Amino acid sequence: MARDELTRLTGSAGGPNCDDDDCPNIYRTKGGAFVVQGDVSHAFAPPLGEGLVEIPEAVLREAVRALGW
């Protein structure tokens, strides 16, 4: 899936530590699922084919506001 197929819910106004789409973000797919971009976390080893990312609480709050929840 290409990034342009996703709806970006966060980061549109930029913010600290954001340059050229390299900051934590949350995207929504056409099917209603979410794609999360963040720093790689090594908190534990996830199952094969999965990954862990860390995103700031503020990014989650921004996504909730964007969805009107």
Side-chain angles (χ1 to χ4, degrees):
M1 174 180 313
R3 185 183 291 196
D4 62 354
E5 296 178 60
L6 303 171
T7 300
R8 187 173 177 171
L9 300 175
T10 60
S12 59
N17 308 318
C18 291
D19 294 320
D20 299 323
D21 294 332
D22 67 349
C23 54
N25 281 295
I26 299 176
Y27 302 84
R28 192 165 197 185
T29 68
K30 290 179 183 175
F34 297 94
V35 175
V36 178
Q37 173 187 350
D39 294 328
V40 174
S41 173
H42 299 287
F44 62 90
L48 187 62
E50 295 184 7
L52 304 175
V53 298
E54 294 183 15
I55 58 169
E57 180 181 329
V59 173
L60 290 175
R61 290 180 182 276
E62 185 180 350
V64 168
R65 279 193 302 275
L67 291 167
W69 294 352

